[in-house]
């Protein structure tokens, strides 16, 4: 079994990915530069080497790069390692993976699709612990009324909004600067 980590450039900064064979173990949004992203992944996956990814993982990376460049890439076929992920979270992530680029759902929408109305807060907590950001598009899950809700990645809600603008789910709002 080959376990590795890699860091790659995207339109939002240096993202990272860990894999074992052809299965993604986890991903990372930018953490303050390539070195910081690599260090974060190395702490999270201490047994991972730095071998180049194989073709299946390379396709996943290319899909992430394309998606974050504005392409309507669907990453639903990327195989993920859900071992150690609580059942509720896994089910919420599976629903989030059905949200196409450029679209959003609310935490409440996912709670209803889980058959658990009233569990929107738990869905939000699950999204906040997502080990596969971008591939499990937690950035496409909003609070009630289309509000941003939280986002635990570096840059917080601004990173979430930037990803949604790239995907066409939000209009690019002009700034004063």
């Amino acid at each position: 079994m080959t376990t590795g980590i890699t860091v790659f450039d995207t339109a939002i900064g240096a993202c990272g990915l860990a894999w074992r064979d052809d299965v993604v173990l986890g991903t990372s949004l930018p953490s303050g530069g390539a070195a910081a992203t690599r260090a974060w992944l190395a702490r999270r996956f201490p047994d991972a080497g730095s071998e180049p990814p194989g073709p299946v993982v390379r396709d996943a990376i290319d899909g992430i790069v394309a998606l974050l460049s504005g392409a309507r890439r669907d990453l639903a076929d990327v195989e993920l390692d859900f071992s150690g992920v609580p059942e509720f979270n896994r089910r919420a992530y599976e629903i989030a993976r059905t949200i196409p680029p450029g679209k959003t759902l609310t935490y409440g929408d996912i709670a209803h699709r889980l058959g658990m109305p009233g569990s929107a807060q738990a869905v939000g907590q699950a999204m906040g612990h997502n080990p596969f950001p971008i591939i499990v598009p937690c950035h496409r899950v909003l609070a009630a009324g289309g509000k941003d809700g939280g986002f635990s990645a570096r840059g917080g809600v601004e990173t979430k909004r930037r990803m949604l603008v790239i995907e066409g789910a939000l209009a690019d709002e002009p700034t004063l600067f």
Side-chain angles (χ1 to χ4, degrees), residues 2-8 15-29 37-54 56-58 60-61 64 78-82 131-135:
T2 301
T3 303
I5 59 174
T6 190
V7 174
F8 49 94
C15 292
L17 184 143
W19 75 91
R20 179 177 302 113
D21 298 324
D22 290 338
V23 179
V24 173
L25 302 174
T27 58
S28 173
L29 290 168
T37 300
R38 181 173 299 286
W40 185 86
L41 283 168
R43 284 190 304 275
R44 189 168 162 208
F45 302 100
D47 297 331
S50 57
E51 304 82 18
V56 171
V57 173
R58 185 77 244 163
I61 293 166
I64 291 169
V78 176
E79 189 175 349
L80 304 175
D81 179 356
F82 284 108
F132 312 103
I134 306 168
I135 297 174

Side-chain angles (χ1 to χ4, degrees), residues 8-11 15 17 24 27 55-78 101 133-135 139-140 163 166-167:
F8 49 94
D9 288 324
T10 73
C15 292
L17 184 143
V24 173
T27 58
V56 171
V57 173
R58 185 77 244 163
D59 284 347
I61 293 166
D62 292 345
I64 291 169
V65 170
L67 181 69
L68 293 175
S69 294
R72 299 267 186 214
R73 288 294 295 266
D74 180 5
L75 303 174
D77 61 339
V78 176
I134 306 168
I135 297 174
H139 63 282
R140 296 181 193 148
M163 292 168 70
I166 289 169
E167 292 185 5

Side-chain angles (χ1 to χ4, degrees), residues 74-145:
D74 180 5
L75 303 174
D77 61 339
V78 176
E79 189 175 349
L80 304 175
D81 179 356
F82 284 108
S83 63
V85 174
E87 179 69 14
F88 178 87
N89 294 22
R90 184 191 58 76
R91 291 177 54 219
Y93 300 155
E94 288 172 354
I95 292 169
R97 289 186 86 185
T98 69
I99 308 168
K103 302 294 182 188
T104 61
L105 288 177
T106 66
Y107 300 115
D109 292 335
I110 291 180
H112 281 279
R113 290 184 185 191
L114 286 168
M116 302 175 74
S119 65
Q121 186 175 17
V123 170
Q125 290 173 351
M127 294 302 147
H129 290 97
N130 177 10
F132 312 103
I134 306 168
I135 297 174
V136 172
C138 55
H139 63 282
R140 296 181 193 148
V141 185
L142 304 175

